[in-house]
Amino acid sequence: MAGGLKDDDTEEFKGLRITSLDDESDEEEEQKEQDIVIDEGDEEEEDEEARNSVVLGFVKKPKKARSLLRHFFPSKAGGVPAWLDPENLPSGRSCFCDICDEPLQFVLQVYAPEEKQSAFHRTLFVFMCTSMVCLRRDQHEQWKCHQDKPSRSVKVFRCQLPRDNPFYSSEPPKKDSTDLPLKAGAALCNWCGSWKGIKRCTGCRRALYCSEKHWVKHSRTGHEHDCQQLRISSQLGDSSSDETTPAVLLKVASNNVWPEYKIIQESESSYETDMPDDTVCTNSLVSSNRKDDALMSIAENFEGDDDRKSWASFHERIALAPEQVLRYCRIPGAKPLWPVSSGRPSKADIPKCSYCAGPLCFEFQIMPQLLFYFNVKNDVDSLDWATIAVYTCEASCDASVAYKEEFAWVQLS
């Protein structure tokens, strides 16, 4: 932690590592939710410790949408990203699918700070292309990770800030409307709300887009009326600037943005004891029968005894908490829970950090259950995965760029 901090202030900030802040009625619930950050102290019995240190992520609709704004340092899924560094966003080809050239869609972010001054605030962001064709291609491209530029449709970005930074107060955020970040962020795309707006509508000169493709999509779905109104407003002398985005709820034009949830965490070990049926899955948004049927349908695609045994083990483990959408464990010896034996990476398949050349380590994995909460259809060509494992720089290195691209390994069903 940064030097000279008061112990009580530091403890208040640690509370943010438990879950997204919500309204006053959520305080008791939040105190019970487990910390997503795992202590990396004792390295003895690494594998056993890793197994017992897994933190599960579940999604829940926030009672107040503003609780997911960036200055509350949320862990969230769907909606638009709450960028940690709101100015120096990823740019160029980083924002696009390398296969089809479409802008990537926001999946989730995990707030996971570390006991390191430069990573007092630390968030990981996951984006992906919504095309299953691209995801299948991505699965082949990931084996080329030692090449200079493999074509990926799933990308992960790490951003970290010290406690004293230009964007947020060094004091823990409050739970009221008076709490705001220190400055506005870059203006975002009016269509997707994710990426920086770099192209301006030639008509109204107000609407901004991350790409020409999103400008065209907005133009085809009703921007003409808004564009006319904005032109009239400009002629009447309203010259307010859209070069920055204040910390307010952003309304985006696209209807394809996934539903927004906060991510809450609980220790997997708390599920490993026998519990009465009426205490299991208390945060259910989807019936357990629906999830179980869908998960078992994946097993029908597997061939070979090794894959079936691996799937049986996988299903037995997640059956303890079938609603989990994320598994987090960033301690030595931690490994993903692979659904199938085929398609697993070896240690040699995981590349080195692109910035410091140090090793990457497993940090978390995204489970297929998230697709149900995103209302993704179970069609042949619909987006689907068995798991997405995220590997990050073991040292959480500092680099000149604000958003460091990390590595994702996709395993399809």
mmCIF file of all heavy atoms in Angstrom, residues 120-135:
data_model
loop_
_atom_site.group_PDB
_atom_site.id
_atom_site.type_symbol
_atom_site.label_atom_id
_atom_site.label_comp_id
_atom_site.label_asym_id
_atom_site.label_seq_id
_atom_site.Cartn_x
_atom_site.Cartn_y
_atom_site.Cartn_z
ATOM 1 N N PHE A 120 -2.592 -0.257 -6.441
ATOM 2 C CA PHE A 120 -3.558 -0.050 -5.358
ATOM 3 C C PHE A 120 -4.975 -0.226 -5.907
ATOM 4 O O PHE A 120 -5.833 -0.818 -5.278
ATOM 5 C CB PHE A 120 -3.379 1.336 -4.759
ATOM 6 C CG PHE A 120 -4.249 1.593 -3.559
ATOM 7 C CD1 PHE A 120 -3.804 1.279 -2.288
ATOM 8 C CD2 PHE A 120 -5.514 2.140 -3.704
ATOM 9 C CE1 PHE A 120 -4.610 1.506 -1.174
ATOM 10 C CE2 PHE A 120 -6.326 2.382 -2.605
ATOM 11 C CZ PHE A 120 -5.868 2.052 -1.332
ATOM 12 N N HIS A 121 -5.206 0.328 -7.113
ATOM 13 C CA HIS A 121 -6.420 0.042 -7.883
ATOM 14 C C HIS A 121 -5.985 -0.805 -9.071
ATOM 15 O O HIS A 121 -5.025 -0.464 -9.771
ATOM 16 C CB HIS A 121 -7.087 1.322 -8.382
ATOM 17 C CG HIS A 121 -7.572 2.227 -7.295
ATOM 18 N ND1 HIS A 121 -8.548 1.858 -6.391
ATOM 19 C CD2 HIS A 121 -7.222 3.504 -6.981
ATOM 20 C CE1 HIS A 121 -8.780 2.857 -5.566
ATOM 21 N NE2 HIS A 121 -7.978 3.870 -5.887
ATOM 22 N N ARG A 122 -6.691 -1.870 -9.326
ATOM 23 C CA ARG A 122 -6.316 -2.767 -10.431
ATOM 24 C C ARG A 122 -7.588 -3.457 -10.931
ATOM 25 O O ARG A 122 -8.311 -4.075 -10.150
ATOM 26 C CB ARG A 122 -5.298 -3.808 -9.963
ATOM 27 C CG ARG A 122 -4.868 -4.837 -11.014
ATOM 28 C CD ARG A 122 -3.777 -5.723 -10.423
ATOM 29 N NE ARG A 122 -3.374 -6.801 -11.314
ATOM 30 C CZ ARG A 122 -3.954 -7.997 -11.359
ATOM 31 N NH1 ARG A 122 -4.982 -8.262 -10.543
ATOM 32 N NH2 ARG A 122 -3.524 -8.940 -12.181
ATOM 33 N N THR A 123 -7.857 -3.315 -12.215
ATOM 34 C CA THR A 123 -9.054 -3.918 -12.800
ATOM 35 C C THR A 123 -8.697 -4.625 -14.094
ATOM 36 O O THR A 123 -7.870 -4.140 -14.879
ATOM 37 C CB THR A 123 -10.129 -2.850 -13.081
ATOM 38 O OG1 THR A 123 -10.453 -2.170 -11.869
ATOM 39 C CG2 THR A 123 -11.395 -3.484 -13.623
ATOM 40 N N LEU A 124 -9.318 -5.769 -14.314
ATOM 41 C CA LEU A 124 -9.145 -6.544 -15.539
ATOM 42 C C LEU A 124 -10.434 -6.484 -16.348
ATOM 43 O O LEU A 124 -11.527 -6.661 -15.797
ATOM 44 C CB LEU A 124 -8.799 -7.995 -15.211
ATOM 45 C CG LEU A 124 -7.497 -8.162 -14.431
ATOM 46 C CD1 LEU A 124 -7.444 -9.503 -13.746
ATOM 47 C CD2 LEU A 124 -6.292 -7.985 -15.346
ATOM 48 N N PHE A 125 -10.290 -6.219 -17.645
ATOM 49 C CA PHE A 125 -11.438 -6.055 -18.539
ATOM 50 C C PHE A 125 -11.387 -7.135 -19.623
ATOM 51 O O PHE A 125 -10.344 -7.343 -20.244
ATOM 52 C CB PHE A 125 -11.408 -4.687 -19.205
ATOM 53 C CG PHE A 125 -11.455 -3.527 -18.239
ATOM 54 C CD1 PHE A 125 -10.301 -3.089 -17.585
ATOM 55 C CD2 PHE A 125 -12.644 -2.866 -17.985
ATOM 56 C CE1 PHE A 125 -10.334 -2.016 -16.707
ATOM 57 C CE2 PHE A 125 -12.688 -1.787 -17.099
ATOM 58 C CZ PHE A 125 -11.545 -1.371 -16.452
ATOM 59 N N VAL A 126 -12.519 -7.778 -19.892
ATOM 60 C CA VAL A 126 -12.593 -8.813 -20.921
ATOM 61 C C VAL A 126 -13.573 -8.368 -21.999
ATOM 62 O O VAL A 126 -14.705 -7.959 -21.700
ATOM 63 C CB VAL A 126 -13.047 -10.163 -20.337
ATOM 64 C CG1 VAL A 126 -13.092 -11.227 -21.443
ATOM 65 C CG2 VAL A 126 -12.109 -10.609 -19.216
ATOM 66 N N PHE A 127 -13.129 -8.439 -23.245
ATOM 67 C CA PHE A 127 -13.951 -8.118 -24.411
ATOM 68 C C PHE A 127 -13.907 -9.282 -25.382
ATOM 69 O O PHE A 127 -12.934 -10.040 -25.419
ATOM 70 C CB PHE A 127 -13.427 -6.867 -25.122
ATOM 71 C CG PHE A 127 -13.563 -5.592 -24.332
ATOM 72 C CD1 PHE A 127 -12.643 -5.266 -23.348
ATOM 73 C CD2 PHE A 127 -14.618 -4.729 -24.576
ATOM 74 C CE1 PHE A 127 -12.765 -4.091 -22.620
ATOM 75 C CE2 PHE A 127 -14.747 -3.549 -23.855
ATOM 76 C CZ PHE A 127 -13.820 -3.229 -22.869
ATOM 77 N N MET A 128 -14.950 -9.409 -26.196
ATOM 78 C CA MET A 128 -14.927 -10.469 -27.197
ATOM 79 C C MET A 128 -15.815 -10.101 -28.374
ATOM 80 O O MET A 128 -16.727 -9.264 -28.260
ATOM 81 C CB MET A 128 -15.365 -11.806 -26.595
ATOM 82 C CG MET A 128 -16.823 -11.921 -26.243
ATOM 83 S SD MET A 128 -17.188 -13.468 -25.342
ATOM 84 C CE MET A 128 -16.476 -14.680 -26.449
ATOM 85 N N CYS A 129 -15.564 -10.759 -29.491
ATOM 86 C CA CYS A 129 -16.423 -10.663 -30.665
ATOM 87 C C CYS A 129 -17.621 -11.576 -30.431
ATOM 88 O O CYS A 129 -17.482 -12.662 -29.866
ATOM 89 C CB CYS A 129 -15.654 -11.080 -31.912
ATOM 90 S SG CYS A 129 -16.638 -11.010 -33.430
ATOM 91 N N THR A 130 -18.788 -11.144 -30.854
ATOM 92 C CA THR A 130 -19.993 -11.938 -30.620
ATOM 93 C C THR A 130 -20.224 -12.998 -31.692
ATOM 94 O O THR A 130 -21.205 -13.731 -31.635
ATOM 95 C CB THR A 130 -21.232 -11.029 -30.541
ATOM 96 O OG1 THR A 130 -21.353 -10.286 -31.762
ATOM 97 C CG2 THR A 130 -21.107 -10.066 -29.363
ATOM 98 N N SER A 131 -19.337 -13.089 -32.659
ATOM 99 C CA SER A 131 -19.467 -14.079 -33.725
ATOM 100 C C SER A 131 -18.865 -15.413 -33.307
ATOM 101 O O SER A 131 -17.695 -15.483 -32.925
ATOM 102 C CB SER A 131 -18.778 -13.575 -34.996
ATOM 103 O OG SER A 131 -18.628 -14.621 -35.934
ATOM 104 N N MET A 132 -19.648 -16.475 -33.387
ATOM 105 C CA MET A 132 -19.144 -17.807 -33.068
ATOM 106 C C MET A 132 -18.116 -18.263 -34.102
ATOM 107 O O MET A 132 -17.203 -19.015 -33.787
ATOM 108 C CB MET A 132 -20.306 -18.805 -32.986
ATOM 109 C CG MET A 132 -19.932 -20.146 -32.390
ATOM 110 S SD MET A 132 -19.349 -19.954 -30.673
ATOM 111 C CE MET A 132 -18.451 -21.495 -30.439
ATOM 112 N N VAL A 133 -18.270 -17.791 -35.326
ATOM 113 C CA VAL A 133 -17.286 -18.120 -36.365
ATOM 114 C C VAL A 133 -15.909 -17.602 -35.955
ATOM 115 O O VAL A 133 -14.902 -18.308 -36.064
ATOM 116 C CB VAL A 133 -17.713 -17.521 -37.725
ATOM 117 C CG1 VAL A 133 -16.603 -17.712 -38.761
ATOM 118 C CG2 VAL A 133 -19.004 -18.155 -38.205
ATOM 119 N N CYS A 134 -15.870 -16.379 -35.445
ATOM 120 C CA CYS A 134 -14.601 -15.796 -35.012
ATOM 121 C C CYS A 134 -14.055 -16.513 -33.778
ATOM 122 O O CYS A 134 -12.838 -16.705 -33.650
ATOM 123 C CB CYS A 134 -14.776 -14.311 -34.718
ATOM 124 S SG CYS A 134 -15.129 -13.311 -36.185
ATOM 125 N N LEU A 135 -14.942 -16.924 -32.862
ATOM 126 C CA LEU A 135 -14.477 -17.601 -31.655
ATOM 127 C C LEU A 135 -13.866 -18.962 -31.992
ATOM 128 O O LEU A 135 -12.875 -19.370 -31.385
ATOM 129 C CB LEU A 135 -15.637 -17.776 -30.666
ATOM 130 C CG LEU A 135 -15.242 -18.209 -29.253
ATOM 131 C CD1 LEU A 135 -14.289 -17.191 -28.609
ATOM 132 C CD2 LEU A 135 -16.473 -18.400 -28.370
#
